[in-house]
Amino acid sequence: MRVVIAGGHGKIAKLLERDLAGRGDTPLGLVRNPDHAAALRAAGAEPVVCDLEHTDADTLARHLADADAVVFAAGAGPGSGADRKDTVDRGAAVLLADAAVRAGVRRYLLVSSMGVDDPPTPDTDDVWAAYLRAKKAAEDDVTGRDLDVTVLRPGRLTDDEPAGRITLARHVPPGAISRADVARVLLALLETPGTAGHTLELVAGDTPAADAVDALAG
């Protein structure tokens, strides 16, 4: 399986790249900083330098040639302002969908966030509110395309070791989940095309990840 991952230097992306490469698949990681290429190679991925804030859909589509799936795991990151929440968390996700359509890549996994369904309260930090709005706008746009989309909304992310057991459903109680477990769920979703069309929330739980994904596909 050839998988192109936007945000290829992110923590979840590198874990997913390692998991894919360890199975003999071919992960390609999109990065804007060429200095990150070595870290991607160490994770088993082929680095592709492409700044999603400064490219176009046709150029990006060429990087998706022969891909079986794309994963949007990019984000503006800590310390970024509200403007970049829109250009990255929304705009880059939409651009990837545009490129996927042009390249004929149907499978699209979008890493979003729990909490985006509810409008930010008046006392919400402006940047966090912009992040939630950007993620929701990305979901609305991408799921409206003629693509096989699965939206994954993790809870609070941690760097804990993977537990391997999760709770995965359309709505789950608030909670945390390790980035390593998120990567494993993404891998299971890539293997399970029957999960296309689902928007899923994810936290730690009691069910093995593969079993939880299989149950939803059925």
Side-chain angles (χ1 to χ4, degrees), residues 31-180:
V31 294
R32 63 176 181 145
N33 186 346
D35 292 342
H36 292 160
L40 266 68
R41 292 191 186 98
E46 177 183 333
V48 177
V49 178
C50 180
D51 186 343
L52 296 177
E53 292 179 276
H54 298 95
T55 191
D56 58 70
D58 288 332
T59 300
L60 181 54
R62 289 195 285 274
H63 295 307
L64 307 187
D66 301 321
D68 298 294
V70 298
V71 178
F72 186 83
S80 59
D83 288 347
R84 291 201 67 228
K85 301 304 183 191
D86 182 69
T87 57
V88 178
D89 292 276
R90 182 202 60 80
V94 170
L95 180 68
L96 184 63
D98 287 340
V101 170
R102 284 167 168 75
V105 181
R106 293 200 57 83
R107 191 73 170 109
Y108 187 124
L109 269 58
L110 174 63
V111 181
S112 186
S113 174
M114 288 181 66
V116 302
D117 278 332
D118 300 319
T121 60
D123 60 344
T124 302
D125 173 80
D126 288 346
V127 175
W128 182 248
Y131 169 80
L132 294 175
R133 285 193 292 266
K135 285 295 189 187
K136 185 62 167 66
E139 288 187 11
D140 291 345
D141 187 293
V142 172
T143 57
R145 309 297 185 98
D146 183 21
L147 294 169
D148 298 328
V149 180
T150 304
V151 177
L152 185 64
R153 296 174 171 178
R156 180 175 56 82
L157 295 170
T158 75
D159 291 320
D160 294 341
E161 291 297 314
R165 293 181 175 270
I166 63 169
T167 299
L168 182 69
R170 179 63 183 88
H171 295 293
V172 303
I177 185 75
S178 73
R179 290 177 173 86

Side-chain angles (χ1 to χ4, degrees), residues 1-3 5 12-27 69-71 73 107 109-111 150 152 166 168 178-195 200 202 209-214:
M1 183 163 48
R2 185 176 178 88
V3 182
I5 304 169
I12 291 172
K14 285 188 290 186
L15 290 163
L16 177 58
E17 288 156 5
R18 287 192 182 94
D19 289 345
L20 285 164
R23 295 165 11 112
D25 293 319
T26 304
V70 298
V71 178
R107 191 73 170 109
L109 269 58
L110 174 63
V111 181
T150 304
L152 185 64
I166 63 169
L168 182 69
S178 73
R179 290 177 173 86
D181 280 317
V182 174
R184 290 184 177 185
V185 170
L186 288 169
L187 183 60
L189 291 170
L190 286 168
E191 294 178 318
T192 314
T195 57
L200 303 168
L202 170 65
D211 291 349
V213 171
D214 285 345

